[in-house]
Amino acid sequence: MINGPEKRMLAGFIAARRLKASRRREDILDAFLATERHVTADELHAAIRSRHPGIGLATVYRTLKLLASCGLARQVTLGGGPARFEHAFRHRHHDHLICRVCGRVVEFSDPEIELRQEAAAAARGFSMEEHSLEIRGVCGACRAKAGRSRSGG
Amino acid sequence: MINGPEKRMLAGFIAARRLKASRRREDILDAFLATERHVTADELHAAIRSRHPGIGLATVYRTLKLLASCGLARQVTLGGGPARFEHAFRHRHHDHLICRVCGRVVEFSDPEIELRQEAAAAARGFSMEEHSLEIRGVCGACRAKAGRSRSGG
DNA sequence: CTTCGTGCAAAACGTTTGCATGTAA
DNA sequence: TTACATGCAAACGTTTTGCACGAAG
């Protein structure tokens, strides 16, 4: 991912706004792209730190906000905890299933739900701009585990 | 609302857990029931303070958590701000439309969306326990106002 | 009398900001 | 040489907690 479209996208955004390219921003983008979904600023900071010890948490916050502005990251708040960031470039909008037991997050998307949301908003005079749908419950693996320990112990 | 079912519900919960009834808890419940939807702890604290100056913010937090435990309140986080609490007793689950311009919150509920959420969860092995759907956009009044100022000057 | 509730202040937590310095343009 | 980026620490707003005291059971 040394020269993907994400880098060009960030570079373009920076040029358009007359900001400045920097090594830090590349480091943070690299780490963000390398990591799996839904990192917090703190997690990303820790991950980058192993390779680039000098980096400050504030810079990670500032850069994540920048990545969100240019459409590379999307900020989500899964269940009230700290803000999390997921890849947004070439990733369609989706909703989240969150396992209450193991914390696993599964993404899904249902066109019919999307349509109905638009309709519900329109019926009440709203124009919809964005939405977030979060379903909390227990995933299959955790239910199986719970079933086993109930019957087995 | 001096002796509604909410009071009995709280009293029952307190008795069942061998907690203690108190004047403070009544005051806070009264204020919560009297207020309109979606208060923050701080807003509720301010409202109670005019009548009961000695009350502490921490007590409001603790009591709101208690009300949530016994099903009288539901905690929602509308758009990333501080936690808000809405009435939960005899109020069906609903979702929220939030106007980005004026902050107005409209509640709605769509049985088809609910069903599809269950189905989406089940299809991925999850048992759904709760969900939150938030739609942000612009309400009719604010769109009308914006249209007027665009065309009018 | 024992346990729980309360107010206060302090701590904790995630996030933002001010400032001096470093670095890209 | 100008403006922006950075690291650090401090500030910030929200929420929780420790503690001594008061009140309910």
Side-chain angles (χ1 to χ4, degrees):
Chain A
M1 206 69 87
I2 287 175
N3 231 317
E6 291 90 352
K7 297 236 170 158
R8 289 196 295 277
M9 196 158 162
L10 178 57
F13 186 87
I14 284 174
R17 307 234 171 165
R18 285 162 182 76
L19 305 177
K20 289 174 181 169
S22 78
R23 178 35 93 145
R24 282 311 187 209
R25 285 173 174 167
E26 273 218 39
D27 294 343
I28 294 169
L29 176 56
D30 283 341
F32 175 65
L33 293 176
T35 201
E36 274 322 298
R37 254 1 83 72
H38 312 127
V39 267
T40 63
D42 203 61
E43 287 164 0
L44 195 58
H45 179 235
I48 299 170
R49 231 170 186 191
S50 58
R51 190 179 293 261
H52 306 280
I55 199 161
L57 177 57
T59 302
V60 175
Y61 273 102
R62 289 188 273 233
T63 302
L64 280 171
K65 193 178 278 189
L66 180 71
L67 296 183
S69 307
C70 70
L72 285 169
R74 185 185 298 121
Q75 181 175 337
V76 297
T77 312
L78 302 175
R84 295 185 169 271
F85 295 82
E86 61 181 18
H87 296 186
F89 182 54
R90 290 188 302 185
H91 290 245
R92 244 206 328 287
H93 172 84
H94 53 254
D95 300 310
H96 297 100
L97 281 158
I98 304 157
C99 177
R100 166 173 64 73
V101 179
C102 66
R104 194 158 69 100
V105 176
V106 172
E107 303 177 348
F108 75 97
S109 147
D110 181 331
E112 178 67 22
I113 291 182
E114 307 277 321
L115 284 175
R116 287 235 154 214
Q117 288 175 3
E118 285 277 11
R124 288 155 189 87
F126 275 69
S127 63
M128 169 169 140
E129 293 179 345
E130 55 164 345
H131 66 96
S132 65
L133 168 59
E134 228 177 77
I135 301 180
R136 277 168 295 274
V138 184
C139 72
C142 288
R143 275 217 315 295
K145 224 176 287 178
R148 232 179 290 128
S149 59
R150 240 201 320 280
S151 59
Chain B
M1 209 65 88
I2 288 175
N3 229 316
E6 291 89 351
K7 297 236 170 160
R8 289 196 294 279
M9 196 158 159
L10 178 57
F13 186 86
I14 284 175
R17 308 233 171 165
R18 284 159 183 79
L19 306 177
K20 288 172 182 172
S22 78
R23 176 35 92 144
R24 282 313 188 209
R25 283 173 175 169
E26 274 218 39
D27 295 342
I28 294 168
L29 176 57
D30 283 341
F32 175 65
L33 293 175
T35 201
E36 274 322 296
R37 254 3 82 72
H38 311 129
V39 269
T40 63
D42 203 60
E43 287 164 0
L44 194 59
H45 179 234
I48 300 169
R49 232 172 185 187
S50 57
R51 191 180 291 262
H52 306 282
I55 198 161
L57 178 58
T59 302
V60 175
Y61 272 103
R62 288 188 273 233
T63 303
L64 281 171
K65 193 178 278 190
L66 180 70
L67 296 183
S69 307
C70 70
L72 285 168
R74 186 185 297 120
Q75 182 176 337
V76 296
T77 311
L78 302 176
R84 295 184 169 271
F85 294 83
E86 61 180 20
H87 297 185
F89 181 53
R90 291 189 301 185
H91 290 245
R92 244 205 329 286
H93 173 83
H94 52 254
D95 300 310
H96 297 100
L97 280 159
I98 305 158
C99 177
R100 166 173 65 74
V101 179
C102 67
R104 193 159 71 100
V105 176
V106 171
E107 302 177 349
F108 75 97
S109 147
D110 181 331
E112 178 67 22
I113 291 182
E114 306 276 321
L115 283 176
R116 287 237 154 212
Q117 286 176 4
E118 286 275 11
R124 287 152 189 89
F126 275 69
S127 62
M128 168 168 141
E129 292 179 345
E130 55 165 346
H131 65 97
S132 66
L133 167 59
E134 228 177 78
I135 301 181
R136 278 169 294 275
V138 183
C139 72
C142 288
R143 274 216 317 294
K145 222 175 288 176
R148 231 180 290 129
S149 60
R150 240 202 319 278
S151 59

